[in-house]
Amino acid sequence: WRSERKLSAWAWKSSESVSRFSMVCLVAKVRCGRIVESTHQNISANSDQFTAQFAAMRKGRYFYSSVMKSLRALAFAFVFTLLCGGLHGVALAQPPAPREAASGLDGGLEQQVRQLALEGANSATRAAAPGMPRVEVTVGQLDARARLAPCQQVQPYVPDGMRLWGKSRIGLRCVQGAVKWNVYLPITVKVFGTALVATAGLSAGSVLAAADLSPAEVDLAEDNSAPVARSELAVGRTLARVLKPGQGLRQSHLKSRQWFAAGETVTVLAQGEGFSVAGEAQALNPGIEGQPVRLRTESGRILTGQPVGERRVELGL
């Protein structure tokens, strides 16, 4: 190879040396040409013929231009950045810290709350929905504004008079801590059972027919009003409010029936375990379905019962 700037140059046998020399030509921005002419295609033959040109290069330090030095520095910096980033990633790849439950409680306390709610819900279910309905409990979250002092032992409990049915609450109180506190945790209890649902949308004032209703699984605890499970209790009744397609039929959807007027004589039924007593009394107010009615017996005693049919009242014992 020959340089127009009369730079000293050597030709090397190895492709690595040729590559280095070519790079020098490119970086120095000089045009390099061949310094030997030969018809031999085999480089070994050229080496034998031009021994001076193909002499081994003496060992020494490599020559790097300022541009090559800059590129080398950038390459070292790039590799160092990759290594540091990789090590940093390895340091961060630690096992994740244990997560709190969605309610904000630790897992053990939430499990206690859920178990307490299930037990209470099963008790309420046996009274309101005979059979074996499916019960689900969803634990809510405490008020984010609450600032509770540290506590070594938190005790969940059912507040007095609280019915674990639908949207409800579980109490949490600190029984072992420097500061005693008491809060309420919202929960939702769903009880799935079979009841009647609307096959199509029905407007208020519609008289229900058998084709308007069909049995399906619904959340019995979704509404405080009792669900209607038997068609004979609904067919022929008038809707008091709109019923959407697929919506469960409740007692509150039905217009209350008036079984008798004030002043009428009615039959009074008192039933208990193993006995039944019937008598007559005078109604002191209209007998409207779902509303208590006051009665006066022949002896002048005042009783309160529930209208259940045409001039019929049941007494609770």
PDB file of all heavy atoms in Angstrom, residues 256-257 259 287-292 306-307:
ATOM      1  N   SER A 256     -99.517  -2.884  48.242  1.00  0.00           N
ATOM      2  CA  SER A 256    -100.089  -3.551  49.417  1.00  0.00           C
ATOM      3  C   SER A 256    -101.592  -3.747  49.227  1.00  0.00           C
ATOM      4  O   SER A 256    -102.299  -2.863  48.740  1.00  0.00           O
ATOM      5  CB  SER A 256     -99.833  -2.711  50.675  1.00  0.00           C
ATOM      6  OG  SER A 256     -98.459  -2.558  50.893  1.00  0.00           O
ATOM      7  N   ARG A 257    -102.067  -4.928  49.632  1.00  0.00           N
ATOM      8  CA  ARG A 257    -103.498  -5.225  49.537  1.00  0.00           C
ATOM      9  C   ARG A 257    -104.179  -4.908  50.866  1.00  0.00           C
ATOM     10  O   ARG A 257    -103.598  -5.115  51.927  1.00  0.00           O
ATOM     11  CB  ARG A 257    -103.710  -6.698  49.188  1.00  0.00           C
ATOM     12  CG  ARG A 257    -103.247  -7.067  47.798  1.00  0.00           C
ATOM     13  CD  ARG A 257    -103.325  -8.548  47.544  1.00  0.00           C
ATOM     14  NE  ARG A 257    -102.301  -9.282  48.311  1.00  0.00           N
ATOM     15  CZ  ARG A 257    -102.017 -10.564  48.120  1.00  0.00           C
ATOM     16  NH1 ARG A 257    -102.679 -11.253  47.199  1.00  0.00           N
ATOM     17  NH2 ARG A 257    -101.085 -11.157  48.840  1.00  0.00           N
ATOM     18  N   TRP A 259    -106.939  -6.063  53.279  1.00  0.00           N
ATOM     19  CA  TRP A 259    -107.717  -7.276  53.500  1.00  0.00           C
ATOM     20  C   TRP A 259    -109.059  -6.982  54.182  1.00  0.00           C
ATOM     21  O   TRP A 259    -110.023  -7.749  54.015  1.00  0.00           O
ATOM     22  CB  TRP A 259    -106.918  -8.251  54.364  1.00  0.00           C
ATOM     23  CG  TRP A 259    -105.663  -8.774  53.699  1.00  0.00           C
ATOM     24  CD1 TRP A 259    -104.380  -8.570  54.088  1.00  0.00           C
ATOM     25  CD2 TRP A 259    -105.602  -9.592  52.535  1.00  0.00           C
ATOM     26  NE1 TRP A 259    -103.498  -9.203  53.249  1.00  0.00           N
ATOM     27  CE2 TRP A 259    -104.235  -9.850  52.269  1.00  0.00           C
ATOM     28  CE3 TRP A 259    -106.560 -10.139  51.668  1.00  0.00           C
ATOM     29  CZ2 TRP A 259    -103.799 -10.620  51.205  1.00  0.00           C
ATOM     30  CZ3 TRP A 259    -106.123 -10.908  50.617  1.00  0.00           C
ATOM     31  CH2 TRP A 259    -104.757 -11.149  50.375  1.00  0.00           C
ATOM     32  N   GLY A 287    -106.912  -3.222  57.628  1.00  0.00           N
ATOM     33  CA  GLY A 287    -105.941  -4.317  57.557  1.00  0.00           C
ATOM     34  C   GLY A 287    -105.187  -4.278  56.236  1.00  0.00           C
ATOM     35  O   GLY A 287    -105.637  -4.843  55.226  1.00  0.00           O
ATOM     36  N   ILE A 288    -104.045  -3.584  56.200  1.00  0.00           N
ATOM     37  CA  ILE A 288    -103.244  -3.438  54.982  1.00  0.00           C
ATOM     38  C   ILE A 288    -102.067  -4.395  55.063  1.00  0.00           C
ATOM     39  O   ILE A 288    -101.394  -4.482  56.099  1.00  0.00           O
ATOM     40  CB  ILE A 288    -102.749  -1.992  54.819  1.00  0.00           C
ATOM     41  CG1 ILE A 288    -103.968  -1.049  54.705  1.00  0.00           C
ATOM     42  CG2 ILE A 288    -101.849  -1.856  53.597  1.00  0.00           C
ATOM     43  CD1 ILE A 288    -103.593   0.412  54.665  1.00  0.00           C
ATOM     44  N   GLU A 289    -101.843  -5.081  53.992  1.00  0.00           N
ATOM     45  CA  GLU A 289    -100.781  -6.083  53.925  1.00  0.00           C
ATOM     46  C   GLU A 289     -99.428  -5.475  54.288  1.00  0.00           C
ATOM     47  O   GLU A 289     -99.044  -4.424  53.791  1.00  0.00           O
ATOM     48  CB  GLU A 289    -100.725  -6.661  52.516  1.00  0.00           C
ATOM     49  CG  GLU A 289     -99.739  -7.797  52.356  1.00  0.00           C
ATOM     50  CD  GLU A 289     -99.764  -8.357  50.956  1.00  0.00           C
ATOM     51  OE1 GLU A 289    -100.018  -7.578  50.000  1.00  0.00           O
ATOM     52  OE2 GLU A 289     -99.542  -9.571  50.803  1.00  0.00           O
ATOM     53  N   GLY A 290     -98.724  -6.154  55.188  1.00  0.00           N
ATOM     54  CA  GLY A 290     -97.399  -5.701  55.586  1.00  0.00           C
ATOM     55  C   GLY A 290     -97.398  -4.687  56.702  1.00  0.00           C
ATOM     56  O   GLY A 290     -96.320  -4.300  57.175  1.00  0.00           O
ATOM     57  N   GLN A 291     -98.567  -4.232  57.148  1.00  0.00           N
ATOM     58  CA  GLN A 291     -98.641  -3.249  58.220  1.00  0.00           C
ATOM     59  C   GLN A 291     -99.386  -3.841  59.420  1.00  0.00           C
ATOM     60  O   GLN A 291    -100.362  -4.573  59.256  1.00  0.00           O
ATOM     61  CB  GLN A 291     -99.364  -1.978  57.757  1.00  0.00           C
ATOM     62  CG  GLN A 291     -98.677  -1.270  56.601  1.00  0.00           C
ATOM     63  CD  GLN A 291     -99.419  -0.026  56.159  1.00  0.00           C
ATOM     64  OE1 GLN A 291    -100.345   0.445  56.854  1.00  0.00           O
ATOM     65  NE2 GLN A 291     -99.036   0.521  55.015  1.00  0.00           N
ATOM     66  N   PRO A 292     -98.938  -3.554  60.634  1.00  0.00           N
ATOM     67  CA  PRO A 292     -99.620  -4.105  61.810  1.00  0.00           C
ATOM     68  C   PRO A 292    -101.022  -3.511  61.976  1.00  0.00           C
ATOM     69  O   PRO A 292    -101.283  -2.378  61.571  1.00  0.00           O
ATOM     70  CB  PRO A 292     -98.693  -3.714  62.966  1.00  0.00           C
ATOM     71  CG  PRO A 292     -97.940  -2.523  62.473  1.00  0.00           C
ATOM     72  CD  PRO A 292     -97.768  -2.727  60.997  1.00  0.00           C
ATOM     73  N   GLN A 306    -100.793  -9.192  62.444  1.00  0.00           N
ATOM     74  CA  GLN A 306    -100.468  -8.937  61.029  1.00  0.00           C
ATOM     75  C   GLN A 306    -101.601  -9.459  60.146  1.00  0.00           C
ATOM     76  O   GLN A 306    -101.984 -10.633  60.248  1.00  0.00           O
ATOM     77  CB  GLN A 306     -99.172  -9.635  60.639  1.00  0.00           C
ATOM     78  CG  GLN A 306     -97.905  -8.982  61.168  1.00  0.00           C
ATOM     79  CD  GLN A 306     -97.596  -7.665  60.475  1.00  0.00           C
ATOM     80  OE1 GLN A 306     -98.050  -7.411  59.361  1.00  0.00           O
ATOM     81  NE2 GLN A 306     -96.833  -6.813  61.137  1.00  0.00           N
ATOM     82  N   PRO A 307    -102.153  -8.590  59.267  1.00  0.00           N
ATOM     83  CA  PRO A 307    -103.162  -9.067  58.320  1.00  0.00           C
ATOM     84  C   PRO A 307    -102.535 -10.066  57.344  1.00  0.00           C
ATOM     85  O   PRO A 307    -101.481  -9.774  56.750  1.00  0.00           O
ATOM     86  CB  PRO A 307    -103.607  -7.807  57.581  1.00  0.00           C
ATOM     87  CG  PRO A 307    -103.168  -6.667  58.448  1.00  0.00           C
ATOM     88  CD  PRO A 307    -101.932  -7.136  59.127  1.00  0.00           C
TER      89      PRO A 307
END
